[in-house]
Amino acid sequence: MLLSTAIVAALVGIAGVHLAHRAKNPATRVHLALWSLAVIPVSLSVCALSLSGRFSVGNPFCDDCPTGTLASLVFSFGATALSLALLVGLLRIALLTHILRRGLFPAPAHLQGRADDLARRAGGREVPVLLFGSEMPVACTWGLVGPRVVLSTWMVENLDMEELEAVLAHELAHALGRDCPTIWLATLLRDATFYLPWAWQARRAVITGKELLADDAAVAATGRPVALASAIAKVWQRSLLEPPFPAGTALQLSEAGSGLQMRIERLLGPEAAGNERGSEASRPVSTTGRFGPAAPAQLLVFSLALVAVCSLV
Amino acid sequence: MGEHTEPSAFHPNRAGIRKVLGDLEAEVLELVWERSGESGVTARDLYEELRQRRPIAYTTVMTTMQRLHKKGLLECDRQEQAYVYSPRMDREQFIERFVGRILDDLLASFSGATLSHLSSAADPGERERVAELLARIVERRQRGEA
């Protein structure tokens, strides 16, 4: 039963990643990718619990099936993997905090004022904007709790005000959409599944989906898709000369693997123009597509069903 | 044949082979390459062609060809009463030579920075894609699109 659950969960995960990469709607892309990442650990946990007798979804036709040793082994192995992934995740946060805390200073009043204005229009709380002196092109949202927008001085010196405002709106969308915890969770699940290729793909799909949603939110808030495309292109160009910042769990504007060319083309295309028109109705700056409160329950039910079906095999 | 003087000046803002040659030198060399299928060209041949484009003195063309010969870019043979010039290397060989020379010089003077930039330029296609996108964006912003 354990093996069949693992195989079926893996197949579901791979299919989910495939569908996520093909999904046109960024929110669907994020949702499917997160499901794909979570389905194996959750299903195997349910299966192990079931086999160990602590949780009954066992095979109703097989009362004498061997339980105990194997289940304990799987349970211990899974718990160790998850603990290690959690440790690595916490270390990443500590390292990033250490790097970013050195030399951070508050943004000038006009920049913070613009960010506050955008946040107010979105109906969200004000998000602190911090700067740090660097020739690297950095714009990121950082912090699992109480996120902050961090910009390097290169951004302020090399982007014009329209581009900078679009970047702020993009980063605010991440902050107000609580995207950092989602990416952290996706990274943790990727680590917990021992960096299987599909887990990398799934995490990348989550990041791409989040970036697309933040792009849409920024366009809706500012009505300037070309300015955002310009900012991303400038950051991309600069990143080719200056290696990008090791963001870890922070979400960067030019996140590696988020399909920068695709995002720019999308912002220059008719789809972005549609979003721009949406801005007239003062659409809020927020991203959807995160793991909502109902998702863990859905996943648990799905895993229970999966294990129950596999126990019949 | 005497000692050759290699092109020594580098003008990064100029196009093509004008980065290492003067305007007239570049024009003359281009014409010699165009006629490289022939057995050679004389200063008179090039003068006749150049004067159709703009007013130019025969002596200017002759001096320029002599300078290119001194730089090792043209061969010079005396045939009867005239000097006949032919290219010592084709365009690709010339570009390869001056690119190599510039890179050698940069590596000798600033090895770390040069190597760092060369490694970051590992995907020249990516740079071209960004440059092309930025050009499109600038054009659209100039048209007043936000």
Side-chain angles (χ1 to χ4, degrees):
Chain A
M1 182 172 99
L2 201 63
L3 186 65
S4 55
T5 303
I7 291 170
V8 175
L11 288 175
V12 170
I14 291 166
V17 174
H18 185 68
L19 287 173
H21 277 285
R22 292 173 70 92
K24 285 193 174 155
N25 184 337
T28 311
R29 183 190 291 243
V30 172
H31 202 76
L32 280 171
L34 282 171
W35 260 76
S36 309
L37 273 170
V39 73
I40 287 189
V42 173
S43 298
L44 285 181
S45 302
V46 169
C47 187
L49 280 169
S50 165
L51 284 174
S52 65
R54 293 174 208 174
F55 191 77
S56 182
V57 288
N59 188 342
F61 304 106
C62 177
D63 292 333
D64 301 326
C65 286
T67 59
T69 314
L70 184 61
S72 300
L73 199 68
V74 170
F75 204 70
S76 311
F77 185 67
T80 309
L82 203 61
S83 305
L84 282 174
L86 194 64
L87 186 69
V88 173
L90 292 172
L91 275 174
R92 270 202 196 97
I93 293 174
L95 187 66
L96 191 67
T97 306
H98 177 69
I99 293 171
L100 284 177
R101 281 230 168 116
R102 285 185 310 175
L104 278 180
F105 54 93
H110 74 278
L111 214 56
Q112 183 65 59
R114 198 68 202 99
D116 292 347
D117 186 36
L118 285 165
R120 265 195 302 275
R121 275 167 48 196
R125 61 177 187 80
E126 291 170 1
V127 176
V129 180
L130 303 169
L131 301 183
F132 73 100
S134 172
E135 282 300 298
M136 286 188 287
V138 179
C140 66
T141 307
W142 161 63
L144 290 184
V145 183
R148 281 145 279 190
V149 171
V150 176
L151 301 176
S152 67
T153 43
W154 184 92
M155 300 291 290
V156 182
E157 286 161 6
N158 290 277
L159 301 186
D160 62 39
M161 201 53 214
E162 287 184 351
E163 291 166 339
L164 211 49
E165 189 180 270
V167 170
L168 276 176
H170 174 99
E171 296 304 331
L172 279 171
H174 283 313
L176 298 177
R178 295 190 192 88
D179 288 350
C180 282
T182 311
I183 296 300
W184 187 75
L185 178 69
T187 309
L188 191 135
L189 288 170
R190 179 202 63 187
D191 297 347
T193 45
F194 301 100
Y195 308 98
L196 291 170
W198 64 265
W200 283 98
Q201 295 282 327
R203 182 180 177 272
R204 192 188 297 173
V206 174
I207 291 175
T208 308
K210 286 292 178 192
E211 293 299 328
L212 293 175
L213 285 166
D215 286 349
D216 290 348
V219 171
T222 62
R224 296 198 184 101
V226 183
L228 181 59
S230 179
I232 296 172
K234 282 182 180 177
V235 168
W236 184 13
Q237 191 179 47
R238 177 67 187 168
S239 301
L240 295 177
L241 295 173
E242 197 76 41
F245 176 74
T249 53
L251 267 164
Q252 280 207 78
L253 180 71
S254 61
E255 193 67 49
S258 70
L260 293 175
Q261 186 171 356
M262 178 268 286
R263 282 172 60 197
I264 294 171
E265 297 277 10
R266 189 169 171 267
L267 286 165
L268 296 177
E271 199 178 335
N275 285 341
E276 189 185 350
R277 282 192 292 278
S279 68
E280 289 158 18
S282 298
R283 282 168 52 181
V285 180
S286 65
T287 59
T288 53
R290 68 193 152 94
F291 234 20
Q298 290 170 6
L299 191 63
L300 193 64
V301 170
F302 177 80
S303 300
L304 282 169
L306 184 72
V307 173
V309 168
C310 289
S311 70
L312 293 173
V313 176
Chain B
M1 192 177 292
E3 195 70 16
H4 293 309
T5 316
E6 296 254 342
S8 56
F10 179 64
H11 310 283
N13 296 326
R14 296 168 70 170
I17 61 170
R18 283 167 176 74
K19 287 185 189 299
V20 286
L21 293 175
D23 279 340
L24 188 58
E25 286 177 341
E27 201 172 357
V28 166
L29 192 57
E30 298 270 13
L31 281 174
V32 176
W33 278 330
E34 273 176 30
R35 291 166 166 235
S36 58
E38 300 169 18
S39 54
V41 289
T42 61
R44 173 69 58 187
D45 295 335
L46 293 193
Y47 165 69
E48 294 297 341
E49 188 151 348
L50 285 168
R51 69 190 278 239
Q52 289 172 15
R53 299 181 187 179
R54 62 174 181 279
I56 191 166
Y58 171 75
T59 49
T60 308
V61 177
M62 195 174 66
T63 313
T64 306
M65 293 181 86
Q66 284 170 352
R67 208 159 50 235
L68 288 172
H69 168 60
K70 277 186 184 167
K71 287 181 178 181
L73 302 174
L74 294 182
E75 293 269 20
C76 179
D77 284 326
R78 191 183 175 110
Q79 290 178 5
E80 297 174 4
Q81 296 299 310
Y83 286 101
V84 178
Y85 294 89
S86 56
R88 288 195 71 206
M89 60 191 86
D90 60 26
R91 174 191 283 275
E92 284 71 32
Q93 287 169 327
F94 174 68
I95 291 171
E96 199 180 316
R97 187 165 150 184
F98 88 70
V99 167
R101 166 88 193 272
I102 291 164
L103 276 180
D104 285 347
D105 194 43
L106 286 171
L107 282 168
S109 307
F110 314 103
S111 55
T114 310
L115 285 172
S116 160
H117 277 268
L118 284 176
S119 63
S120 71
D123 183 2
E126 194 174 0
R127 282 188 181 202
E128 281 170 21
R129 284 200 301 277
V130 187
E132 188 203 324
L133 283 167
L134 268 171
R136 271 172 61 193
I137 290 166
V138 168
E139 192 188 323
R140 285 181 62 167
R141 293 188 87 190
Q142 279 171 349
R143 288 205 310 255
E145 287 186 51

